[in-house]
């Protein structure tokens, strides 16, 4: 039933004046890993709850896997058949083409003001919010408690601690002392997590790319020399190790430590792995910043329906619904009030380490139309920076050149 998702029929706005029997088409991503927990079920129940209070509005939801959803939406837009709303991974290119409603075109003031500040800012293009954050996560360092106990070590706080722990784990025969997934699946995430821990990042304070900064070169030089070069990252070359495979290896007990997001808790627990979580180590102590990731809700102008879209989205961002979705998929709420509720709820205690990191998180530069191209280049090339004979400075300079060209073309 709807109540199982914590959904409420108390809606933010009523008495719509739009056309009768309006159908709003929503395309959304699937966060489930089986039919039983597919996001289609979540959205169908949410739509049913909304339609019960709005008999003249129908919500037509189509859910696609993350492998397909961005492409499906792009194909719809290119064919002149844009959905009313799309919950996807990127928004900036659509905003640049004038295809999207601004957030303040559709959301009520209280709802828009309730977004977590870092996430709201990341949804802006030239200071205007088009991307509405929908689900968020951060990263912490997971470690295998059993392997750490056998090696007689404690969780690392600094890079040197991490290298020493990896050496001890290797001496105990651990297959992956530290798993470093720089393969094409999600290399942009592991890369940014390390760059942030070294005091760098993808962009400088004014927003331009700085991928080949001195801090970033130093970070990847350390990784190459102190982890990969000393055979502390396992039998698969980092450039060929994907995140999903690293997570699976952790769940098998083959990994001493790795960066992970909330879903790894469920994966590891299901396999009986006893794990701990600590803030990402930095150069001299815990990193001052961590990677934050959010997905986006967008509202397309093509079909009109501005008022109906806004009223439905106000409902979507009701705290009960935000919390229901977050809890179903081990994600972080994107609104301040829902985050506050999660931070004090006993049932959410396992998510608190991630929630604590959210306010200090840094997101991908998703407001740049060039980010998709730059991200693809990182996935393609970054593994070479730590490979035998690799040159971190040259690889980062090559990616920076691509970023500079892409940014100038925006």
């Amino acid at each position: 039933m709807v109540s199982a998702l914590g959904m409420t029929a108390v809606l933010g706005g009523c008495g719509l004046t739009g056309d009768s029997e309006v159908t709003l088409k929503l395309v959304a991503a699937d966060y489930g890993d089986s039919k039983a927990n597919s996001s289609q079920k979540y959205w169908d129940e949410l739509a049913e709850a909304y339609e019960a209070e709005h008999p003249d509005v129908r919500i037509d939801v189509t859910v696609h896997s993350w492998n397909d959803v961005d492409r499906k939406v792009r194909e719809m837009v290119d064919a002149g058949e844009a959905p009313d709303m799309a919950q996807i991974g990127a928004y900036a290119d659509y905003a640049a083409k004038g295809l999207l409603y601004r957030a303040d075109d559709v959301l009520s003031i209280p709802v828009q003001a309730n977004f977590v500040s870092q996430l709201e800012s990341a949804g802006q293009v030239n200071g205007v919010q088009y991307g509405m954050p929908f689900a968020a996560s951060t990263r912490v360092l997971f470690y295998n408690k059993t392997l750490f106990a056998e090696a007689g070590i404690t969780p690392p706080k600094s890079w040197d601690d991490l290298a020493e722990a990896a050496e001890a784990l290797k001496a105990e025969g651990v297959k992956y002392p530290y798993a470093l997934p720089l393969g094409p699946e999600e290399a942009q995430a592991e890369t940014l997590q390390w760059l942030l821990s070294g005091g760098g990042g993808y962009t400088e304070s004014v927003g331009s790319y700085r991928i080949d900064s001195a801090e970033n070169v130093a970070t990847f030089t350390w990784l190459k020399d102190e982890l990969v070069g000393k055979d502390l990252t396992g039998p698969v070359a980092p450039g060929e190790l994907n995140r999903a495979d690293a997570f699976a290896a952790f769940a098998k007990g083959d990994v001493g430590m790795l960066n992970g997001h909330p879903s790894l808790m469920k994966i590891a627990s299901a396999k009986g792995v006893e794990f701990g979580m600590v803030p990402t180590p930095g150069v001299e102590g815990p990193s001052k910043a961590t990677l934050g990731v959010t997905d986006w809700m967008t509202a397309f102008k093509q079909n009109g329906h501005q008022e109906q879209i806004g009223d439905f989205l106000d409902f979507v961002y009701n705290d009960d619904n935000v919390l229901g979705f977050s809890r179903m998929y081990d994600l972080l709420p994107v609104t301040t009030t829902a985050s506050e509720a999660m931070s004090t709820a006993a049932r959410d205690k396992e998510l608190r380490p991630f929630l604590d990191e959210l306010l200090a998180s840094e997101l991908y530069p998703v407001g740049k139309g060039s980010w998709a191209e730059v991200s693809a280049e990182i996935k393609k090339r970054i593994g070479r920076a730590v490979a035998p004979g690799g040159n971190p400075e040259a690889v980062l300079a090559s990616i920076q050149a691509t970023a500079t060209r892409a940014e100038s073309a925006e």
Side-chain angles (χ1 to χ4, degrees), residues 325-336:
F325 187 88
S326 300
R327 286 166 172 159
M328 178 177 288
Y329 296 110
D330 290 326
L331 293 165
L332 304 182
V334 296
T335 63
T336 300

Side-chain angles (χ1 to χ4, degrees), residues 353-378:
F354 302 93
L355 201 59
D356 292 343
E357 298 282 348
L358 188 58
L359 293 179
S361 66
E362 182 170 322
L363 282 73
Y364 304 129
V366 290
K368 292 178 172 291
S370 56
W371 169 241
E373 182 178 349
V374 175
S375 177
E377 191 73 2
I378 293 168

